[in-house]
């Protein structure tokens, strides 16, 4: 199975959690894309859902696929969200934000009764190494980057990229990343949110090259 097939396979398994009448969080990225397309197919077959998009890109794709888009402020809870990840560890903690949508993704995940992560086997890791995306306001971003450096990170501005919220992304290299970093990074003035998702995923659906699909559930 090639990478695209693995992504699609994981996404197709995940949409089994989407039922008629649900409010559904729509993730961002090349794996979540397959879930949106699949939900679109189900909608064309008569299922009714309201999609809550995690990015402008996903909103556009969802609309193209015939999915009605709702405003997150109108719904107290999202029934299920299907999203991708850049890395997933065995405790189901995640690094997200490779596509730059981490802020909306985290808001949507936090409002979701169930967060389902879809990925191919390359994303499942013992130890995080993917540079941590940190969304920062433009004002004083170099000073914000200095604070991240003094915490031990090596931040790199994602050149030519502005988030859907009008902010910059600093991709931060590190030696070790512990769970406590999520809150510590967010306490730096200028940081809007970071891509460490601790205790947010409920289930990860991982597709393997050999055709296997593994579901890892939060204990
Ligand atoms: C976007 C994300 C994506 O979920 C993450 O980057 C994975 O994307 P892909 O499925 O394309 O590898 O967090 O902000």
């Amino acid at each position: 199975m090639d990478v695209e097939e693995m992504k699609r396979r994981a996404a197709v398994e995940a949409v089994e959690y989407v039922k008629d009448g649900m409010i559904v969080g729509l993730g961002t990225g090349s794996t979540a894309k397959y879930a949106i397309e699949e939900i679109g197919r189900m909608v064309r077959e008569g299922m009714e859902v309201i999609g809550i998009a995690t990015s402008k890109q996903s909103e556009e794709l969802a609309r193209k696929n015939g999915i009605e888009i709702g405003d997150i402020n109108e719904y107290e809870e999202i029934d299920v969200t299907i999203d991708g990840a850049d890395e997933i560890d065995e405790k189901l903690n995640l690094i997200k934000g490779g596509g730059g949508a981490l802020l909306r993704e985290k808001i949507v995940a936090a409002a979701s009764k169930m967060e389902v992560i879809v990925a191919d086997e390359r994303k499942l890791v013992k130890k995080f190494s993917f540079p941590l995306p940190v969304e920062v306001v433009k004002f004083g971003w170099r000073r914000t980057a200095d604070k991240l450096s003094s915490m031990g990170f090596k931040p790199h501005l994602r050149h030519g990229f502005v988030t859907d919220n009008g902010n910059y992304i600093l991709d931060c290299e590190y030696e070790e990343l512990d769970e406590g970093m999520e809150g510590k990074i967010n306490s730096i003035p200028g940081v809007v949110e970071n891509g460490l998702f601790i205790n947010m995923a409920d289930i990860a659906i991982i597709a393997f090259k050999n055709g296997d699909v593994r579901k890892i559930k939060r204990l």
Side-chain angles (χ1 to χ4, degrees):
M1 228 183 227
D2 69 17
V3 172
E4 288 308 307
E5 278 175 276
M6 286 192 268
K7 290 178 182 181
R8 211 180 75 77
R9 186 76 204 283
V12 167
E13 290 273 338
V15 299
E16 283 180 22
Y17 293 95
V18 177
K19 308 282 182 222
D20 195 41
M22 280 188 169
I23 311 299
V24 183
L26 306 171
T28 295
S30 58
T31 317
K33 176 192 96 166
Y34 287 113
I36 295 174
E37 288 173 351
E38 199 58 22
I39 294 166
R41 187 187 59 72
M42 290 153 81
V43 166
R44 284 193 294 281
E45 286 174 1
M47 191 181 68
E48 287 184 19
V49 296
I50 305 282
I52 305 294
T54 54
S55 62
K56 291 178 183 166
Q57 184 195 321
S58 292
E59 176 171 345
E60 194 182 318
L61 180 67
R63 287 194 198 279
K64 252 194 221 154
N65 279 272
I67 302 168
E68 184 180 340
I69 294 293
D71 175 351
I72 187 170
N73 291 314
E74 302 299 321
Y75 303 95
E76 270 175 32
E77 274 189 323
I78 295 166
D79 293 298
V80 61
T81 290
I82 302 175
D83 204 349
D86 298 299
E87 282 185 339
I88 305 163
D89 74 7
E90 282 162 350
K91 288 164 82 182
L92 279 198
N93 292 328
L94 317 169
I95 292 192
K96 288 184 53 53
L102 64 105
L103 174 60
R104 295 189 189 193
E105 288 173 335
K106 204 179 264 194
I107 294 170
V108 169
S112 298
K113 286 193 255 181
M114 189 184 205
E115 175 82 0
V116 181
I117 297 301
V118 285
D120 60 82
E121 62 173 23
R122 302 168 309 160
K123 308 282 186 69
L124 191 60
V125 298
K126 288 216 155 38
K127 187 172 175 260
F128 288 139
S129 65
F130 191 90
L132 181 68
V134 179
E135 181 159 349
V136 300
V137 297
K138 287 179 178 174
F139 180 85
W141 71 267
R142 283 181 198 275
R143 302 292 76 81
T144 309
D146 290 344
K147 299 288 179 203
L148 285 160
S149 299
S150 60
M151 278 174 78
F153 290 103
K154 234 195 230 172
H156 304 279
L157 179 69
R158 198 177 290 181
H159 284 285
F161 186 84
V162 175
T163 69
D164 284 351
N165 320 296
N167 299 314
Y168 286 152
I169 296 278
L170 299 173
D171 291 303
C172 297
E173 291 178 57
Y174 50 84
E175 294 293 328
E176 285 287 331
L177 201 54
D178 64 68
E179 296 184 1
M181 281 297 180
E182 185 184 16
K184 284 187 197 146
I185 293 168
N186 284 357
S187 70
I188 299 172
V191 169
V192 180
E193 191 48 85
N194 69 81
L196 200 47
F197 283 49
I198 305 294
N199 293 329
M200 295 197 99
D202 296 293
I203 174 161
I205 302 181
I206 314 286
F208 289 80
K209 231 187 255 166
N210 65 3
D212 287 352
V213 175
R214 193 173 142 204
K215 290 187 183 178
I216 310 171
K217 293 188 182 164
R218 175 169 302 288
L219 296 173

